Amino acid sequence: MSQSNQVKGLYEFGSFRLDAAKRLLTRAGVSVTLAPKTFDLLLLLAESQGRALTKVELMQALWPDTFVEEANLSFQMSALRKALGEDGAHWVETVPKHGYRFTAVVKGVADGGGSRGIRRAYWMAAALALLLLAVAVFYLVPGHRKAIDSLAVLPFVNTGGNPDAEYLTDGIAETLINDLSTLPGLKVIARSSAFRFKGRDADPQAAGRQLKVQAVLTGRVVQRGDSLSVQAELVDVGENRHLWGEQFSGKLSDLPVLQAEISRAITARLRSPLTGEERKVPVRRQTASAAAYQNYLRGVYFVAKRTPDALRKGEEYLEQAVAADPTYGAAYAALADTYTHMTTRRMLAPREANRKVEAAAGRALQLDPGLSQAHTALGGARRREFDMAGTERELRLALELEPNNADAHTRIALTFLMPVGRFDEAVEENRRAQELDPLSLIIIANAGEILYLARRYDQALKEYRKLQEMDPNFSSGAIEGLVYAELGRFPEAIAAAEQAASRAGVNSRPLALLGYVRARSGDRSGARQALAELKQISQSRYVDSYDVALVHAALGDRDAAFALLEQAYAELSAGTRDLKVDPKLDPLRSDPRFADLLRRAGLGP
């Protein structure tokens, strides 16, 4: 079409007509309302059809001689996609680390031919619209297109420059992970793997490939005083195609409402319309108290760090959350989970931990029966009480409510299957956890521990080598040293155990395992020294009697070892879960006292 026959600044794409002179956008003859800057943005993109425009180019064109943040451009992009609707939003394509491209076929509109030409153009546009609709149906309606079945929510970026808002940024992303994990048929990568990309300028496509997911959700958060802006964007990993994006704004005091709005919008985009099965999924109850929600986010932010100081700080914030709203089930569930981590790190004696876990998890489920996290914590408490049936029941309930609960999968492996010698099933269950949380160092360490207890020592070492490759500073709790000891490689065993003990902090277990390795290597005085240190530590904090019993067993002090194992049984020691399968207790197995202890611990003859 020659320029003389074309109306300047009049374009058509799909069922839309863009009139630059009249500053008017219509869709099938119906006016579409656009804000001035959104209209300018659409015009820029349409006139540059097919060419990727950088963010800098767009911001300079839209706000000449004015400094603006990138969030302003993101907001306008979101508004434009919203205005174009589901059949047009995909035309505004995000070019990672560059800018945006308008991919629609844009045609200049002719001014000749009278009404016949207009009608012809109209029917051509209508035909194109029908074609696009058919394509949309093919790609969007379940059964015509493979629905998104796997997703990673990357840590949102704190773009406001306020380091104190980091808990808020992480909390919004983590809440989305928790909410989306309840959707049937959708695999959602767990927090610990997704958040390994925190602080990195991660390319969504590369991150998605590494996490082996179909789509990635990214976001940016800007907090200015009581004002909050959240920009979320969904990207198809395989096609590197923008699927959805939206800007959410509100007051910090309205954060619970804003979070719920974001979750609903993303859920609707992933599962629209909802199936009958998805409508049955329990809806998480959120608090209406902004103070409770902010303290909850602060709490889970610190608990995720897993260090003793951070766990205590997380506990304080979560207690403040339930004080602000005593009906906040999710905060009680997070408290129960916090007590579980404290027990694992020997920060709480098991009986005290069980009392706290059962009170918090019980209250959580009373308020919100759909909380998978509460059932997971209760599973650990049941195991410490030697209730194997109760352990399985709680963990299976956790997975029924949330199939994406990687923590429940790995705990079934460690606390139910592995203790009774069902090693192949334990390995498989832990593998499922790894699929949901592929970069979790703890789950890889659990894989190594299962293989160690299954006496597959060479395979266990392979898992520990993976850990070292991923994070040389990660402590595997001295289990690696135990593997070397069983293989008779004592210099390596002692080096690994000493390294773990030096990083242990308040956790006394690595020191006990160092004493065991020293005893196995023939260093009896070194083992006795570890026992003396453990006795001194026990004066001020909890030391698991099971751990101390292992050192005495390696030294050949059978009576002392059995006395400590009886004490561990009375304490509900977490270590007693391994009684039936632990290689370190092999010197005691022929003693009748051992069979009696196994029977009482619910682990059979």
Side-chain angles (χ1 to χ4, degrees):
M1 181 183 298
S2 67
Q3 183 65 36
S4 60
N5 291 329
Q6 186 174 312
V7 179
K8 186 177 180 181
L10 190 60
Y11 307 99
E12 286 185 346
F13 45 91
S15 59
F16 293 90
R17 174 176 286 207
L18 179 65
D19 189 332
K22 294 181 180 178
R23 296 187 63 80
L24 177 66
L25 176 69
T26 58
R27 180 181 183 183
V30 178
S31 177
V32 178
T33 303
L34 289 180
K37 287 293 181 187
T38 311
F39 184 93
D40 293 341
L41 174 61
L42 176 58
L43 186 59
L44 282 167
L45 292 168
E47 289 180 339
S48 305
Q49 178 215 207
R51 184 171 72 85
L53 297 174
T54 67
K55 295 176 182 178
V56 173
E57 282 180 277
L58 289 167
M59 287 191 289
Q60 287 178 347
L62 292 170
W63 294 279
D65 305 319
T66 303
F67 174 79
V68 295
E69 293 184 336
E70 188 178 310
N72 294 68
L73 178 60
S74 298
F75 177 81
Q76 296 300 334
M77 283 294 177
S78 176
L80 176 58
R81 286 173 173 137
K82 198 169 184 178
L84 293 175
E86 287 191 3
D87 62 342
H90 63 278
W91 289 329
V92 184
E93 181 186 45
T94 299
V95 181
K97 298 184 179 180
H98 185 80
Y100 300 88
R101 179 190 293 115
F102 197 59
T103 60
V105 177
V106 180
K107 296 181 179 180
V109 179
D111 64 351
S115 60
R116 188 176 68 177
I118 294 172
R119 285 197 303 271
R120 182 170 177 268
Y122 173 82
W123 287 114
M124 286 179 66
L128 179 59
L130 286 171
L131 176 61
L132 289 169
L133 179 61
V135 171
V137 167
F138 181 81
Y139 279 98
L140 296 176
V141 172
H144 290 279
R145 169 186 176 266
K146 185 181 179 183
I148 292 173
D149 57 12
S150 55
L151 173 74
V153 180
L154 296 187
F156 281 23
V157 179
N158 175 14
T159 59
N162 179 9
D164 293 335
E166 204 66 30
Y167 81 92
L168 189 67
T169 308
D170 284 5
I172 290 172
E174 181 164 0
T175 301
L176 286 172
I177 291 172
N178 293 337
D179 288 348
L180 296 172
S181 291
T182 63
L183 287 176
L186 179 66
K187 182 179 87 171
V188 181
I189 296 299
R191 180 197 193 279
S192 55
S193 285
F195 273 58
R196 284 184 66 80
F197 293 91
K198 184 174 172 61
R200 295 157 53 182
D201 185 17
D203 174 9
Q205 194 177 16
R209 283 197 298 265
Q210 188 172 352
L211 295 170
K212 298 179 180 178
V213 292
Q214 186 180 351
V216 166
L217 181 70
T218 62
R220 295 178 178 274
V221 179
V222 180
Q223 181 194 350
R224 293 279 189 270
D226 192 40
S227 296
L228 191 66
S229 175
V230 181
Q231 170 71 35
E233 184 173 318
L234 189 66
V235 177
D236 185 298
V237 172
E239 299 178 12
N240 192 24
R241 183 167 61 91
H242 177 276
L243 297 174
W244 169 87
E246 195 164 336
Q247 179 96 9
F248 303 86
S249 300
K251 298 293 185 183
L252 191 59
S253 53
D254 298 326
L255 182 57
V257 176
L258 185 64
Q259 178 80 60
E261 182 185 346
I262 297 170
S263 291
R264 278 195 300 269
I266 295 169
T267 299
R269 184 61 187 85
L270 290 170
R271 293 287 187 270
S272 182
L274 293 178
T275 66
E277 254 332 281
E278 289 161 349
R279 289 193 186 96
K280 296 176 186 175
V281 176
V283 177
R284 277 195 172 90
R285 296 178 185 172
Q286 293 294 351
T287 179
S289 165
Y293 189 54
Q294 289 179 54
N295 280 316
Y296 167 78
L297 293 183
R298 288 187 179 98
V300 296
Y301 172 77
F302 283 107
V303 169
K305 295 178 182 292
R306 300 289 192 267
T307 65
D309 288 343
L311 285 169
R312 292 190 188 96
K313 202 164 186 178
E315 179 188 16
E316 289 175 12
Y317 278 121
L318 291 169
E319 286 175 344
Q320 291 175 37
V322 297
D325 180 1
T327 66
Y328 194 4
Y332 283 107
L335 261 177
D337 188 53
T338 303
Y339 299 139
T340 300
H341 293 304
M342 287 180 163
T343 312
T344 303
R345 284 153 184 78
R346 307 311 198 254
M347 295 170 63
L348 281 177
R351 283 196 182 276
E352 181 187 3
N354 274 18
R355 178 179 59 79
K356 287 176 173 283
V357 167
E358 288 178 8
R363 179 62 174 153
L365 292 171
Q366 182 183 27
L367 294 165
D368 187 348
L371 287 166
S372 174
Q373 187 181 35
H375 283 292
T376 305
L378 279 176
R382 297 287 176 265
R383 180 62 192 87
R384 287 186 291 274
E385 293 167 351
F386 312 108
D387 178 4
M388 297 299 285
T391 301
E392 182 180 26
R393 181 182 65 250
E394 293 296 339
L395 293 174
R396 297 293 182 198
L397 274 171
L399 288 173
E400 185 179 324
L401 289 166
E402 187 181 322
N404 291 297
N405 188 334
D407 194 22
H409 279 293
T410 195
R411 288 196 197 184
I412 285 178
L414 284 174
T415 65
F416 177 69
L417 297 169
M418 181 268 292
V420 294
R422 293 163 62 177
F423 293 115
D424 289 341
E425 293 171 79
V427 168
E428 176 62 19
E429 199 70 49
N430 200 70
R431 185 192 62 77
R432 291 177 190 169
Q434 285 181 292
E435 288 177 354
L436 294 165
D437 205 350
L439 304 183
S440 168
L441 301 178
I442 292 173
I443 292 178
I444 295 172
N446 289 347
E449 185 171 3
I450 292 167
L451 292 166
Y452 161 72
L453 292 169
R455 303 168 194 247
R456 303 174 190 175
Y457 302 125
D458 290 334
Q459 293 178 45
L461 276 182
K462 289 180 182 178
E463 297 298 326
Y464 292 123
R465 289 190 186 112
K466 284 183 195 174
L467 284 175
Q468 290 301 304
E469 290 172 6
M470 292 176 68
D471 186 351
N473 296 316
F474 180 79
S475 174
S476 54
I479 303 294
E480 184 181 5
L482 299 177
V483 174
Y484 284 126
E486 295 302 330
L487 292 172
R489 296 162 60 175
F490 291 112
E492 292 165 284
I494 292 171
E498 285 179 343
Q499 185 181 59
S502 69
R503 298 172 177 170
V506 299
N507 187 349
S508 58
R509 186 170 189 246
L511 176 59
L513 296 184
L514 172 60
Y516 169 84
V517 169
R518 284 173 174 170
R520 284 289 309 276
S521 70
D523 181 8
R524 298 180 66 84
S525 63
R528 295 286 180 194
Q529 180 186 343
L531 286 172
E533 290 179 39
L534 289 166
K535 185 174 182 179
Q536 184 177 356
I537 291 170
S538 69
Q539 304 301 312
S540 57
R541 63 178 187 267
Y542 173 70
V543 172
D544 193 328
S545 298
Y546 181 89
D547 297 336
V548 185
L550 299 176
V551 186
H552 284 284
L555 287 169
D557 302 336
R558 294 167 69 93
D559 289 343
F562 272 110
L564 285 160
L565 287 176
E566 287 292 343
Q567 191 173 328
Y569 173 78
E571 292 172 355
L572 305 182
S573 159
T576 54
R577 72 170 194 200
D578 300 336
L579 277 169
K580 184 171 184 174
V581 295
D582 195 342
K584 298 182 288 299
L585 295 177
D586 284 355
L588 308 179
R589 294 189 187 280
S590 60
D591 193 302
R593 290 174 289 181
F594 195 83
D596 179 59
L597 184 60
L598 278 181
R599 178 187 57 77
R600 284 181 284 134
L603 295 171

